[in-house]
Amino acid sequence: MGFGAVQFVAAWLVWTAGAEDGGWSQPEGSGLEDEGGCSIQVLDGSELSQQQFLERFAFSRPVIIRGVTDNTRFQVLCSRSGLLQRYGSLTIRLSTANTHSYRKVDVAFQDYVDRLLRPQDAAVLGSETLYFFGDNNLTEWQNLLDRYQAPPYFLPGRSAAYSFGIAGPGTGVPFHWHGPGFSEVIYGRKRWFLYPPDRDPRFHPNRTTLSWLTDTYPGLPEAEAPLECTVRPGEVLYFPDHWWHATLNLDTSVFISTFLG
């Protein structure tokens, strides 16, 4: 299932006609306009060496890095038409978008894009929201992921594993934590909220990030406010081990994370 030269040229022609969103845009007004503030340090890749990454961020705090990867080719391949042409009939595994996710649902990728990739309703619970991220047979997607240029930074003794996702406006995963990793947006915008390991966020594990943003976030005292920022295409966010984080897709978003296990 490799991407040959002819297929790439065809994908490129489609992508150039709508390069900004790759064909993933929803009807006007379905995206979320409020990007919030940014309390996470943002650096250019040329300003951050591997040694500086280890000393300043790897074990202590998140950072957003711009211009550290060039995934133009990968972005072309991730256009809506390109992925549907290549993977439309493939069965993918969705998981529920709550903090303790247990339910799994298998659907065709075409069905997910046509029927489930829609704006989040704030009243719908996380256990009722199906989310496409990770939890899939990487053998089927390996030819695509091989084209992804991962961030050049690393943690000694840890190996990288990719998780690829696509989700509609207002969707996201509520607060949870795991090992360290990077997350890059390919299309769309993704808003992040983070707390260090010693600060438990105030949230309900079965309420979506959108409902938390609407109901809980506005009333948080300044001392309980999370670190936050909106990540755009070409930007990579790094989060350290055990940091709480929640995500909110402001548009239909295509994204990929590099988990350091």
Side-chain angles (χ1 to χ4, degrees):
M1 293 181 66
F3 285 95
V6 173
Q7 293 167 315
F8 178 74
V9 170
W12 174 268
L13 292 174
V14 172
W15 180 80
T16 53
E20 184 176 349
D21 60 28
W24 291 107
S25 62
Q26 296 274 351
E28 187 175 353
S30 61
L32 303 179
E33 296 305 318
D34 185 8
E35 294 188 348
C38 186
S39 51
I40 300 172
Q41 187 170 0
V42 181
L43 294 175
D44 187 88
S46 62
E47 302 177 277
L48 190 64
S49 67
Q50 167 66 17
Q51 188 61 35
Q52 290 170 326
F53 168 72
L54 290 175
E55 292 173 353
R56 298 170 57 186
F57 302 105
F59 308 103
S60 58
R61 56 193 172 113
V63 63
I64 293 172
I65 314 162
R66 291 175 176 161
V68 72
T69 61
D70 180 6
N71 278 304
T72 304
R73 182 181 178 90
F74 185 73
Q75 188 181 44
V76 172
L77 297 174
C78 289
S79 69
R80 186 179 190 274
S81 59
L83 288 182
L84 285 177
Q85 179 181 8
R86 198 66 190 163
Y87 298 107
S89 61
L90 185 70
T91 297
I92 60 172
R93 174 154 292 182
L94 311 177
S95 58
T96 49
N98 48 341
T99 296
H100 307 293
S101 181
Y102 299 109
R103 189 164 68 97
K104 309 292 182 182
V105 176
D106 291 342
V107 300
F109 181 60
Q110 179 83 56
D111 189 32
Y112 173 70
V113 171
D114 291 343
R115 185 171 59 88
L116 299 175
L117 196 64
R118 57 178 185 265
Q120 175 78 47
D121 183 335
V124 175
L125 297 175
S127 60
E128 299 167 351
T129 302
L130 294 175
Y131 202 68
F132 172 47
F133 179 58
D135 205 18
N136 284 277
N137 182 355
L138 293 184
T139 302
E140 300 287 348
W141 295 87
Q142 195 61 53
N143 285 313
L144 175 67
L145 298 180
D146 283 345
R147 271 89 181 155
Y148 175 66
Q149 181 185 113
Y153 309 108
F154 62 89
L155 297 181
R158 291 180 179 262
S159 58
Y162 298 140
S163 285
F164 178 69
I166 304 170
T171 62
V173 180
F175 283 104
H176 63 289
W177 59 265
H178 44 66
F182 299 92
S183 182
E184 180 169 356
V185 174
I186 307 302
Y187 288 111
R189 298 166 298 153
K190 182 184 285 286
R191 190 173 173 183
W192 283 74
F193 307 91
L194 301 103
Y195 286 96
D198 60 352
R199 292 181 58 197
D200 291 343
R202 187 196 307 176
F203 76 105
H204 189 290
N206 200 27
R207 298 292 298 276
T208 64
T209 305
L210 182 61
S211 66
W212 173 86
L213 182 66
T214 302
D215 301 334
T216 304
Y217 177 87
L220 291 176
E222 185 175 351
E224 294 184 30
L227 292 178
E228 64 174 283
C229 203
T230 293
V231 179
R232 301 170 183 81
E235 298 179 337
V236 176
L237 179 140
Y238 170 76
F239 53 88
D241 192 16
H242 280 68
W243 272 65
W244 290 94
H245 53 280
T247 60
L248 180 69
N249 296 294
L250 302 183
D251 313 297
T252 297
S253 299
V254 180
F255 46 93
I256 184 168
S257 290
T258 304
F259 294 117
L260 304 175

